[in-house]
Amino acid sequence: QEIGAALVSSGTYRLAASQLSYLTRTPISHSAIQRMAWTVGNRIADSEEAERRRIFEQGGEEEPGKVCAPVLYGESDGVWVHLQREKRKSTEVRVAILSTGRKAVGKDRFRLENKHCLTAIGLDSQAWQEHIVREAHRHYDLEHTRLLVYGGDGNQWVRHSFDRMQIEQEFVLDRFHLLRAARRAIPDRKVAHALVTRLRQEGFESAQPDLRQQIQQAAGQPRKKLEDFYRYVFHNQDGLLDLQYRGLSVLPCLGAIEGNVDKLVVHRMK
């Protein structure tokens, strides 16, 4: 069953059935492979739930991880997927990435160090936070971790994903979403880029008067887009400044979630 579940996680049911039939010299159907995957998946889910209850309801202790993490980086995001044969037409898959930094692997190309990925379906915000805390303690040695730098698109559940981590935290609004929001509100790309740079270096208060003036001078749909952008940066103003302008001498090793979320979700769904 475990071999069948492992094979099907990287291919189709029929391909996994063919491979396992060859390995065991026994005819195995694709529906049997599906049942194997469900059985193993349910066993893993039951084990995770029992571990969650032991730690958060019964006060049990978690064995610390081995990876040293003076500064821990975290990102969280979600992607909506369609459902089949369910009451709901779609659901959101939650994804998080933890790492201890990044290293260069080429020109303008980096790879996260000690990356640990998490995905979950059907968890509420509290259960998602507990899941992140449990996995972080299991993978990293957090006894000497002095700072958690986390990022996201500003969505409420994303911003609160790391609330249960009892470490000093700094939130950084995802730069991809910040620039995209600015370009949607401001047609002139140079002006949008200049505004984002100002927000990242000087903060929300420095750009607030100019944004209000642009809103007053606009009308119709352009004004609505500017108002949406104003609300977006207002509610996430604590994550606008780059770390160096906050007086922190740590690298901004964030921005990997957008390039990983779809691949992680595809693998998880399989």
Side-chain angles (χ1 to χ4, degrees):
Q1 286 184 347
E2 292 176 357
I3 293 173
L7 290 172
V8 80
S9 69
S10 58
T12 63
Y13 287 129
R14 294 186 185 277
L15 177 60
S18 174
Q19 293 170 335
L20 192 57
S21 298
Y22 176 79
L23 290 173
T24 61
R25 296 292 190 272
T26 304
I28 298 175
S29 66
H30 66 278
S31 59
I33 288 288
Q34 183 186 57
R35 290 193 295 272
M36 292 179 186
W38 287 1
T39 300
V40 174
N42 288 331
R43 192 164 70 237
I44 294 173
D46 293 341
S47 176
E48 290 179 347
E49 175 61 18
E51 185 70 3
R52 186 197 68 80
R53 291 181 178 178
R54 184 184 70 83
I55 295 173
F56 294 102
E57 296 182 8
Q58 302 173 9
E61 294 184 357
E62 179 71 43
E63 186 71 21
K66 305 299 182 182
V67 179
C68 181
V71 178
L72 188 65
Y73 297 90
E75 296 182 75
S76 182
D77 202 357
V79 60
W80 286 89
V81 295
H82 295 288
L83 301 177
Q84 295 178 339
R85 297 181 295 277
E86 299 287 345
K87 293 181 179 179
R88 298 176 59 187
K89 293 185 178 180
S90 61
T91 188
E92 188 174 25
V93 184
R94 301 191 180 197
V95 184
I97 297 178
L98 296 170
S99 68
T100 58
R102 68 182 185 184
K103 62 179 179 180
V105 294
K107 184 179 179 181
D108 298 328
R109 294 180 61 245
F110 300 89
R111 177 181 298 160
L112 295 180
E113 293 185 304
N114 303 309
K115 183 173 73 172
H116 187 55
C117 305
L118 304 85
T119 56
I121 301 173
L123 296 185
D124 58 22
S125 293
Q126 179 177 342
W128 174 240
Q129 294 168 17
E130 293 174 350
H131 182 55
I132 290 179
V133 171
R134 188 173 69 251
E135 289 297 316
H137 279 278
R138 180 179 299 174
H139 194 73
Y140 302 98
D141 182 5
L142 302 179
E143 184 177 357
H144 302 291
T145 301
R146 69 179 192 275
L147 180 66
L148 168 66
V149 180
Y150 71 101
D153 59 6
N155 187 290
Q156 282 301 307
W157 74 261
V158 170
R159 290 205 52 164
H160 292 289
S161 292
F162 302 92
D163 282 1
R164 301 294 291 270
M165 301 282 291
Q166 298 178 347
I167 305 172
E168 182 181 349
Q169 301 182 11
E170 287 287 341
F171 171 68
V172 179
L173 182 64
D174 185 82
R175 299 322 189 195
F176 166 78
H177 288 90
L178 175 59
L179 181 59
R180 185 178 67 176
R183 291 178 59 180
R184 285 177 175 175
I186 303 173
D188 192 319
R189 298 184 64 175
K190 290 185 177 180
V191 175
H193 279 263
L195 177 60
V196 169
T197 301
R198 187 176 179 183
L199 290 170
R200 293 175 59 176
Q201 295 180 356
E202 302 177 22
F204 174 72
E205 293 182 357
S206 68
Q208 186 179 21
D210 291 342
L211 283 173
R212 285 181 172 177
Q213 184 178 4
Q214 291 183 41
I215 292 173
Q216 291 175 356
Q217 294 175 349
Q221 190 66 20
R223 177 166 183 162
K224 183 180 182 305
K225 291 181 179 180
L226 285 169
E227 290 174 342
D228 291 341
F229 178 70
Y230 183 91
R231 285 191 292 268
Y232 181 66
V233 294
F234 174 79
H235 290 300
N236 294 284
Q237 56 184 290
D238 59 329
L240 295 175
L241 282 176
D242 289 345
L243 296 178
Q244 65 191 78
Y245 296 101
R246 306 183 195 185
L248 298 173
S249 57
V250 296
L251 296 175
C253 303
L254 299 174
I257 190 71
E258 288 298 324
N260 281 268
V261 62
D262 291 337
K263 289 180 287 187
L264 294 174
V265 169
V266 166
H267 188 267
R268 174 66 175 184
M269 293 303 292
K270 286 181 178 180

